[in-house]
Amino acid sequence: MYTIFQISLQKEFKMKIKEYKKELYDLQVELVKFQKEVIEKKLQVCIIFEGRDTAGKDGIIKRFLQHLSPREVRTVALNKPSDKDHMSWYFQRYVHFLPSKQEIILFNRSWYNRAGVEKVMNFCTQKELKSFFEEVGSFEQMLTHSGVIFFKYYLDISKDEQKERLKDRKTNPLKQWKVSPIDNKAQEYWDEYSKARDEMFIRTSFSFAPWYVVNADNKKKARLNVIKHFLSNMDYDKKNEKLLAFSGDIVCKFDPICYEKGLIKK
C-alpha cells in the first residue's frame, strides 16, 4: 500500500510533468510563429549545440524542431571526417550544410569538434588546432555579416550527473545507438575536456558570436530555457514576451560570472 506521503509525491510529480508539457507546448507555438517569420522574410538561421557527452543536445534539438515544417528545418549531425575531408579545408565540410534563405539549421556538434574531442583525443595536430583558432573567428564573422542569424549554445553538466546518464545509456535498450567509444572516455578525460572547453570559451566567444552556457543538469529546465532565450532575442509577429522570460541561472552569456553561478562545472 502507498503511504499518504508517497501519494502526495506522485501527485506533485504528475503536476510538474503536466506543467512542463503545457509550457513546452506554448513555447513550441512561439517557435512555429518564428518559423513563419523566417519563411516569409527569407531569413537564414544557424544554431550550434555543443556540450559534454550526455548533456542533452539531442533532447533540446528534438523539442526545438518537433512541430516545425520539416521542409525548412534540418538537423546536422556529421560522422567522423572521411579521408576526403582530411584533405580539404577544415570548415569546407560544414559550409555545405549552412542554411539557405527560409531555413533553420541546428548543428548537433559542429566545427567546434576540433577544439573539444579532437584536441582531447589527439585526433588533430597542434598545427591544425592553431589554424582552427586563427580562422574560426573570420569564418563566423562572415556568417553574421552575410545576415545569418547565428547562435552558439554549450550545454554543461556535473561529473556525477554525466556518470548517471552514461550508465543509463548502457542499460537502456532504447539508447544503445548513443553508446560510443568516445563516451567511455568522457569520465576518464573529464579534466582535459574542462580545460579544452575553457580555452574554447576564452578564444571563441566573440562579440558578434558569443557563447551561451546552459546548466543542463535538469534536462527539462534546460530545454525550456534554451528555447526561451533564443526566442527572446528574435523579432517576429505576435511574439508573447511574457512567456519568454528565461532564467539567468540556467542560460548565461559566457563570462566569468558563469563559473560563480555554477553554470560551468569544474
Side-chain angles (χ1 to χ4, degrees):
M1 292 181 64
Y2 289 110
T3 65
I4 294 175
F5 178 69
Q6 287 173 318
I7 292 172
S8 177
L9 282 179
Q10 284 183 334
K11 287 182 178 179
E12 184 179 352
F13 178 74
K14 288 180 180 178
M15 187 180 298
K16 287 182 178 179
I17 290 295
K18 188 176 180 180
E19 291 172 354
Y20 163 73
K21 288 184 176 180
K22 174 62 169 62
E23 191 168 6
L24 179 61
Y25 172 83
D26 291 340
L27 289 172
Q28 288 175 328
V29 169
E30 292 297 303
L31 283 169
V32 171
K33 294 180 192 176
F34 171 66
Q35 188 183 35
K36 185 179 179 182
E37 192 88 359
V38 170
I39 294 170
E40 289 179 352
K41 294 189 177 181
K42 295 181 173 58
L43 303 178
Q44 297 164 270
V45 183
C46 180
I47 309 173
I48 283 176
F49 290 97
E50 293 285 347
R52 299 274 193 180
D53 288 321
T54 77
K57 297 179 290 296
D58 293 322
I60 285 182
I61 291 172
K62 178 181 177 181
R63 274 72 182 183
F64 198 104
L65 56 76
Q66 195 168 12
H67 297 287
L68 299 183
S69 169
R71 291 183 296 276
E72 291 86 14
V73 65
R74 287 185 289 124
T75 302
V76 178
L78 300 182
N79 291 320
K80 63 180 182 180
S82 65
D83 291 340
K84 184 177 179 180
D85 291 327
H86 283 300
M87 298 293 287
S88 305
W89 177 49
Y90 177 71
F91 295 94
Q92 189 168 325
R93 70 191 299 240
Y94 297 100
V95 171
H96 174 72
F97 298 97
L98 292 173
S100 300
K101 291 181 179 180
Q102 300 184 318
E103 275 193 321
I104 300 173
I105 304 300
L106 297 91
F107 278 90
N108 187 342
R109 294 200 181 280
S110 66
W111 44 89
Y112 281 101
N113 273 338
R114 175 133 296 175
V117 64
E118 289 190 19
K119 175 185 178 181
V120 173
M121 303 304 294
N122 293 316
F123 292 159
C124 68
T125 65
Q126 284 299 312
K127 181 179 179 181
E128 289 171 331
L129 182 65
K130 183 175 181 290
S131 293
F132 169 80
F133 280 125
E134 289 174 349
E135 296 173 3
V136 66
S138 298
F139 179 67
E140 293 179 3
Q141 193 166 40
M142 283 191 290
L143 293 182
T144 56
H145 280 195
S146 68
V148 175
I149 297 171
F150 182 56
F151 274 72
K152 303 188 297 194
Y153 290 101
Y154 185 94
L155 280 59
D156 211 25
I157 55 175
S158 65
K159 190 174 184 179
D160 288 343
E161 180 64 22
Q162 186 188 65
K163 183 178 180 180
E164 289 302 311
R165 293 186 188 182
L166 286 170
K167 182 179 178 182
D168 179 57
R169 279 189 180 182
K170 293 176 181 178
T171 57
N172 189 330
L174 297 178
K175 296 183 179 180
Q176 292 300 299
W177 63 272
K178 290 188 173 185
V179 178
S180 73
I182 298 297
D183 286 346
N184 295 329
K185 299 290 185 179
Q187 290 270 293
E188 180 183 348
Y189 288 89
W190 177 270
D191 292 339
E192 287 81 359
Y193 274 113
S194 295
K195 292 175 183 177
R197 172 205 61 195
D198 293 346
E199 181 182 14
M200 181 186 75
F201 285 157
I202 292 170
R203 299 186 67 172
T204 66
S205 193
F206 310 112
S207 59
F208 51 85
W211 277 106
Y212 293 101
V213 185
V214 183
N215 180 351
D217 274 350
N218 185 311
K219 290 182 180 180
K220 290 182 175 61
K221 287 183 178 179
R223 293 167 188 166
L224 296 176
N225 279 278
V226 167
I227 296 173
K228 288 179 181 180
H229 176 269
F230 176 75
L231 289 176
S232 69
N233 284 280
M234 297 297 107
D235 291 321
Y236 56 93
D237 191 36
K238 297 180 181 178
K239 180 177 177 179
N240 187 344
E241 295 280 2
K242 292 182 179 179
L243 185 64
L244 305 180
F246 64 91
S247 170
D249 291 328
I250 302 294
V251 182
C252 176
K253 183 178 178 181
F254 173 69
D255 183 272
I257 197 172
C258 296
Y259 291 96
E260 297 173 18
K261 286 185 175 183
L263 271 74
I264 303 175
K265 315 298 181 183
K266 297 181 179 179

